[in-house]
Amino acid sequence: MSANDTQPTPPTATYDSAFLKACRREPVPHTPVWFMRQAGRSLPEYRKVREGIAMLESCMRPELVTEITLQPVRRHDVDAAIFFSDIVVPLKAIGIDLDIKPGVGPVVEQPVRTRADLARLRDLTPDDVSYVTEAIGLLTRELGSTPLIGFAGAPFTLASYLVEGGPSRTYENAKAMMYGDPELWADLLDRLAEITAAFLKVQIEAGASAVQLFDSWVGSLAPADYRRSVMPASAKVFDAVAGYGVPRIHFGVGTGELLKLMGEAGADVVGVDWRVPLDEAARRVGPGKALQGNLDPTVLFSNPEAIEAKTREVLDAAADLEGHVFNLGHGVMPSTDPDTLTRLVEYVHTRTAR
């Protein structure tokens, strides 16, 4: 199914939720809240159900995915669930030899460095990730009126993992390809855009109410390089799912200089990390977009008074936004006290009640 023949998703039980209203820049009963990495390491119940199960394997067990995704909804009363998975799942599904190593992250056995290596990146089909379809079916029945956010890694971040062979602080191999062989780089990102779009389509067709594209590493680029070498692939992903009519969120870390371009790539909602206040982010992004963010995750290790004060700063900066989804400026850190997150949700809901 192409972007041209998709049909907007009809209104569902989640359509009038505060989260989706905020994404559509409509009036909300309160500012909606969810947290990146809310389903995961900060929860003792998560650690218990994941005990002895490798990360990638846990992403392929529908009942386990369902339980983990639901845990923070039950505990924190957040306004949206985020599908429990990993950005490298579609790469694993098409046969790339990789593993998520504890304390390291995704490691690719044979990095993609040559044109011949592109042949290993075949198309992703729904059958490759049937466990995703099954898990989302289970989840949407359990969640009822609470929206489920599907997600994928953006082409640049996936390409960086593939070219580097694992996590990197400098991205020297990826940037060497981008600068030194721009045609190969463009073809790699285009191929990854097709895989990513297919993965998001599976999630939307299974019942996801919104999707988020994580470009975790793109903050390493200058705006001119982003516009020339990355933005076309991200735009291809967003365009491919535009016809479904679900909100599309775009998030990266250290992307203060890229916010306008990330919105132009096709997002309906631009995620902002903690480095740029939301009122300034709105000026950079321009009209017609909702914003998501952006409390510094480390604030949650402070005392309750400091947490409330910093949260008020975020909400005050967001007061005049067209639409605002409260989130952290990055994912929940593993050692965060879950009770602090629960109190934060309650505080935002209470303070912003209309």
Side-chain angles (χ1 to χ4, degrees), residues 121-351:
L121 299 174
R122 66 167 176 82
D123 292 343
L124 177 83
T125 71
D127 288 342
D128 292 321
V129 287
S130 58
Y131 46 85
V132 170
T133 299
E134 183 179 346
I136 291 179
L138 294 171
L139 274 165
T140 52
R141 286 194 290 274
E142 289 282 342
L143 285 166
S145 60
T146 300
L148 175 67
I149 304 167
F151 79 92
F156 173 80
T157 292
L158 293 180
S160 297
Y161 273 114
L162 286 171
V163 176
E164 297 293 338
S168 172
R169 293 184 182 274
T170 57
Y171 320 105
E172 64 263 31
N173 293 298
K175 287 187 174 183
M177 182 188 293
M178 183 176 73
Y179 298 134
D181 195 342
E183 289 187 6
L184 175 59
W185 175 260
D187 289 345
L188 171 60
L189 260 67
D190 189 69
R191 184 74 58 87
L192 290 169
E194 293 174 354
I195 292 166
T196 298
F199 190 53
L200 290 179
K201 287 179 180 181
V202 166
Q203 295 175 70
I204 296 168
E205 291 180 6
S209 298
V211 289
Q212 176 157 312
L213 195 64
F214 282 89
D215 215 346
S216 308
W217 291 3
V218 79
S220 65
L221 297 181
D225 291 330
Y226 176 85
R227 181 186 289 279
R228 178 177 55 249
S229 302
V230 173
M231 189 171 166
S234 294
K236 182 173 183 175
V237 175
F238 284 124
D239 183 62
V241 299
Y244 291 101
V246 303
R248 299 159 297 169
I249 311 168
H250 202 4
F251 174 75
V253 185
T255 52
E257 299 300 319
L258 305 178
L259 289 173
K260 182 174 179 61
L261 294 172
M262 291 177 71
E264 289 177 2
D268 304 298
V269 184
V270 177
V272 184
D273 76 7
W274 67 93
R275 296 170 177 87
V276 181
L278 289 175
D279 48 357
E280 170 60 17
R283 188 190 68 78
R284 297 184 188 186
V285 171
K289 308 287 183 183
L291 296 187
Q292 178 175 281
N294 68 338
L295 185 70
D296 185 338
T298 62
V299 168
L300 299 178
F301 296 96
S302 190
N303 58 59
E305 294 75 22
I307 295 170
E308 287 191 8
K310 295 299 288 184
T311 301
R312 284 196 302 274
E313 287 182 16
V314 172
L315 295 174
D316 290 346
D320 295 325
L321 298 185
E322 295 181 68
H324 177 221
V325 176
F326 187 92
N327 207 313
L328 303 181
H330 199 194
V332 174
M333 298 174 74
S335 52
T336 303
D337 181 352
D339 291 340
T340 300
L341 289 171
T342 303
R343 289 192 295 269
L344 178 58
V345 174
E346 182 179 13
Y347 179 77
V348 173
H349 283 172
T350 301
R351 185 171 178 82

